[in-house]
Amino acid sequence: MADNLEGIVESSEAQLLATGFIFTEGPLWHPDGYWLFVDVRREPGAIYRLEPGGEPEIFREPSNGSNGLTYDLQGRLIMCEGDARRMSRREQDGAIVALAEHWEGKRLNRPNDVVCHSDGSIYFTNPGGRVPEDEREIEFSGVHRIAPDGTVTAVVTDTEYPNGLAFSPDERVLYVTNTRERMYIAAYDVVPDGTVSNGRTFADMSSNEPVGVPDGMKVDSQGNVYSTGPGGCWVFDPNGNQLGIIRLPEVPANCAWGGGDNRTMFFTAHTSVYTLRMKIPGISPWRGT
């Protein structure tokens, strides 16, 4: 299929920002002018801070195997701590507090990725594939929601290995990538009470590409969906039609919007991190004051 990305990508090539890592993930932009990302396979796990044009610095180490990152409505950092099997929050004074460790009395699997809704609730993927069977307390791999009052519920229970997730611009649709078995993006209608319904396949991402799986995902202001996957970052229009694959020097695992105009996309790609300028601004998770 011929790529149709002339209305999407502005840069002629990706800019390498830093390299020498093991497996980068969890990209996030702070409006003060820096990126955060993680190296999920570095022992004992680290979150890095990187200013454009600068060198990466340790932001948090150890990180309890942190992976997906986002901000809540108050601008506090939310972290998926895979090794600790919990969701956590970094307070404004730097203290780390647990947000969720259990669902219905059962210990979480390995929280992987996270997104915050404008009502203050937090949705996160909770795959169980990397938890030893004898330690797994939740039988399904799903998506959970932390309500503003702290209540944890399960909203998606029918995916084999949920990974990345994102909302449509109007937050009426929740997208979830499935990394194992069938490779696809699922879509769910978001109900006013925070639950979801009408689960369906938004896009098939099966491929003969030798490297990459559906993973991190973001949406731009026009509703186009960007999902890292086989061979690069796949781009779909709001109807699920594939526009093309953004190819970088390394196959990316995740992506995030940032920069002053929110038109810079930051890619975490195994040993390195890159940026590309885009033509359409993205949706920022930042609502902090």
Side-chain angles (χ1 to χ4, degrees):
M1 187 195 77
D3 282 349
N4 185 26
L5 298 176
E6 64 273 6
I8 299 291
V9 180
E10 180 177 293
S11 298
S12 59
E13 61 182 31
Q15 179 183 3
L16 173 66
L17 267 60
T19 191
F21 306 100
I22 302 174
F23 195 98
T24 58
E25 255 281 9
L28 185 65
W29 170 260
H30 193 285
D32 284 349
Y34 61 85
W35 300 101
L36 295 176
F37 65 95
V38 306
D39 190 341
V40 294
R41 295 183 184 168
R42 171 189 170 104
E43 294 294 340
I47 301 176
Y48 289 90
R49 181 183 189 273
L50 175 62
E51 294 187 16
E55 295 294 325
E57 302 174 348
I58 296 292
F59 180 81
R60 181 189 177 199
E61 186 181 45
S63 70
N64 285 338
S66 291
N67 194 332
L69 309 175
T70 195
Y71 297 112
D72 67 8
L73 299 186
Q74 290 72 45
R76 297 170 296 189
L77 181 65
I78 305 299
M79 296 162 282
C80 296
E81 295 187 3
D83 290 349
R85 298 175 64 179
R86 70 176 190 173
M87 297 296 298
S88 67
R89 181 178 70 217
R90 185 179 188 270
E91 304 291 359
Q92 303 294 4
D93 63 2
I96 307 296
V97 300
L99 281 183
E101 298 179 280
H102 298 84
W103 165 74
E104 295 190 350
K106 300 175 182 180
R107 191 178 182 191
L108 297 178
N109 292 323
R110 287 185 62 91
N112 184 277
D113 208 350
V114 59
V115 65
C116 185
H117 191 277
S118 62
D119 68 1
S121 58
I122 295 167
Y123 292 71
F124 65 94
T125 51
N126 187 42
R130 293 181 57 201
V131 179
E133 188 171 351
D134 62 348
E135 298 178 15
R136 200 178 306 156
E137 299 180 22
I138 298 175
E139 296 179 355
F140 61 88
S141 293
V143 179
H144 294 264
R145 174 180 182 261
I146 307 172
D149 66 2
T151 302
V152 180
T153 55
V155 295
V156 174
T157 61
D158 61 351
T159 50
E160 295 90 356
Y161 198 102
N163 199 324
L165 73 175
F167 287 112
S168 61
D170 60 9
E171 296 184 322
R172 293 181 179 179
V173 179
L174 176 68
Y175 299 105
V176 183
T177 57
N178 191 77
T179 298
R180 302 289 189 270
E181 305 298 334
R182 293 188 302 122
M183 296 196 294
Y184 64 97
I185 300 174
Y188 301 85
D189 295 332
V190 181
V191 180
D193 66 2
T195 60
V196 302
S197 65
N198 189 29
R200 64 229 182 243
T201 298
F202 171 75
D204 182 3
M205 293 185 67
S206 56
S207 172
N208 293 324
E209 296 275 354
V211 178
V213 295
D215 200 333
M217 180 168 46
K218 296 295 182 290
V219 176
D220 69 25
S221 58
Q222 294 184 9
N224 298 307
V225 177
Y226 302 68
S227 175
T228 58
C233 181
W234 295 42
V235 185
F236 302 91
D237 71 15
N239 295 316
N241 301 308
Q242 186 180 358
L243 300 178
I245 300 176
I246 299 172
R247 298 185 184 274
L248 295 98
E250 298 175 74
V251 175
N254 210 333
C255 56
W257 294 106
D261 58 3
N262 220 33
R263 287 199 300 114
T264 297
M265 183 164 270
F266 182 90
F267 292 95
T268 54
H270 294 258
T271 67
S272 309
V273 292
Y274 301 86
T275 56
L276 272 175
R277 290 288 292 166
M278 314 301 282
K279 293 183 177 180
I280 303 170
I283 297 175
S284 171
W286 178 263
R287 300 184 182 94
T289 57

